[in-house]
Amino acid sequence: MKKLKIALVLLGWGLTLPAFADLKVATALSDLASVAQFVGGKHVTAISLCKGYEDPHFVPAKPSLMKAIQDADVFVSVGLELDGGWLPLVIPGSRNPKIQPGAEGFVDASEGIDVLDKPVGTVSRAEGDIHPLGNPHYYGDPKNLEIVADHLTQIFSDLDPSNAADYAANDKAFDAKMDSAIKGWEAQLAPYKGDSLVSYHENFKYFTNRFGLKVFGTVESKPGIPPSPRYLSDTAEAMKTAGVKVVIYQPYYDADEAKQLALKAGAAAYEIPNEVGGVPEAKDVFSKFDFIVSTLVQAYGGK
Ligand SMILES: [Zn+2]
């Protein structure tokens, strides 16, 4: 890549070549990299440290991750402690002053988001709760990604003012494309309004709230706490009584537990990505929601 750029610069001598403003953007989560790429367009290269098939709560803080962000101009964190177990190791480890918390290049993408499940009173990680500041999976609501896009547009424009007009235009196009996509997903899910699902982890609530579905319960007994056999049988019984037929899980969760619960409850379990890259079809935030919605339509019986 570097060689190519040098070649292009040499080629460009004497010509008016567009400046290589290229903001190098790194994000904690693949959905944030996807939004950054839409907003940044040709001026930005965006990478994600956590891949869509990895649990975003527990990413190993490997030296390769620190190296990957050592010359980033911007780092976008999910915030709300979703990445709180590993970013505090990876970011200082990068020794990159531009992206340390407090620096201009460090972004908390949860700013401006209406957070669900905010805890009342004091919660500690010692009790096993991995959502100490409320539910951090806000990227499950596509409308929230417009808030992230607006936020990133502001950051990119501050850091790279010469391309501010492009960032603003890309942002507007992103919001319009998302609004139109949301209308389509709403139409596909409309026949199932009020239907329930059981999610492996409490990470689908933003999505279900947006589209009029309900999270009946989780396979985990608490965020980050695997289920006991007793908890699974109780949940299965409750599902049978309520007629809940759909269990969903992500690639990084224990599929057997999800399937076992589904079997006991007379339901079926479906692998559904919650993050871009969770399955090969989920190439960006749009195709991710396409996949989620079409899988749920099948799960609910394609009425
Ligand atoms: Zn979580």
Side-chain angles (χ1 to χ4, degrees):
M1 189 67 195
K2 251 183 195 154
K3 265 186 195 157
L4 180 71
K5 275 192 186 167
I6 291 165
L8 285 171
V9 169
L10 290 174
L11 204 74
W13 278 355
L15 304 169
T16 45
L17 215 93
F20 287 113
D22 277 356
L23 281 178
K24 290 190 211 72
V25 178
T27 69
L29 196 80
S30 49
D31 290 47
L32 300 177
S34 177
V35 175
Q37 198 60 69
F38 277 107
V39 169
K42 63 183 179 191
H43 306 300
V44 158
T45 52
I47 59 155
S48 173
L49 294 187
C50 179
K51 305 301 173 199
Y53 47 81
E54 294 178 309
D55 185 344
H57 293 284
F58 303 108
V59 176
K62 290 179 294 196
S64 59
L65 297 188
M66 303 172 194
K67 197 158 180 259
I69 59 171
Q70 67 189 2
D71 60 352
D73 301 300
V74 180
F75 191 90
V76 188
S77 157
V78 183
L80 300 171
E81 289 284 302
L82 178 66
D83 39 26
W86 52 281
L87 274 195
L89 298 167
V90 171
I91 293 205
S94 74
R95 298 174 192 267
N96 175 352
K98 286 185 285 185
I99 56 163
Q100 301 300 318
E104 211 183 352
F106 181 87
V107 184
D108 178 344
S110 72
E111 273 175 35
I113 301 286
D114 204 357
V115 179
L116 300 176
D117 305 334
K118 275 202 166 173
V120 193
T122 50
V123 183
S124 88
R125 272 177 176 266
E127 290 159 26
D129 197 329
I130 53 171
H131 293 169
L133 302 179
N135 194 316
H137 301 281
Y138 56 84
Y139 51 91
D141 178 354
K143 200 71 190 165
N144 280 341
L145 297 180
E146 294 183 25
I147 297 174
V148 172
D150 297 349
H151 188 181
L152 292 182
T153 300
Q154 190 58 56
I155 302 283
F156 294 172
S157 304
D158 288 348
L159 290 170
D160 177 26
S162 61
N163 290 312
D166 283 355
Y167 298 135
N170 293 345
D171 181 36
K172 213 174 153 194
F174 178 82
D175 288 359
K177 186 176 158 107
M178 191 55 91
D179 281 340
S180 145
I182 289 171
K183 282 204 183 87
W185 297 321
E186 278 171 348
Q188 281 177 273
L189 289 171
Y192 315 106
K193 222 170 192 140
D195 280 7
S196 295
L197 56 82
V198 165
S199 174
Y200 190 96
H201 178 67
E202 189 67 278
N203 58 359
F204 249 71
K205 217 180 214 179
Y206 290 90
F207 177 88
T208 52
N209 280 6
R210 168 64 52 198
F211 294 105
L213 304 170
K214 284 182 196 149
V215 176
F216 178 78
T218 55
V219 178
E220 290 178 326
S221 53
K222 266 174 86 175
I225 308 289
S228 65
R230 172 72 191 269
Y231 173 86
L232 284 182
S233 334
D234 289 351
T235 307
E237 280 310 310
M239 284 171 68
K240 271 197 241 171
T241 308
V244 180
K245 296 284 181 202
V246 175
V247 178
I248 64 170
Y249 61 95
Q250 280 70 57
Y252 42 81
Y253 285 128
D254 189 334
D256 287 343
E257 277 171 353
K259 287 175 185 165
Q260 200 191 330
L261 174 65
L263 190 68
K264 277 186 186 160
Y270 302 85
E271 185 181 84
I272 296 191
N274 200 29
E275 288 85 16
V276 169
V279 297
E281 292 90 335
K283 292 183 190 345
D284 60 27
V285 287
F286 294 98
S287 48
K288 180 193 84 166
F289 286 113
D290 283 340
F291 189 91
I292 295 173
V293 170
S294 62
T295 309
L296 284 177
V297 166
Q298 281 173 28
Y300 287 127
K303 278 186 243 180

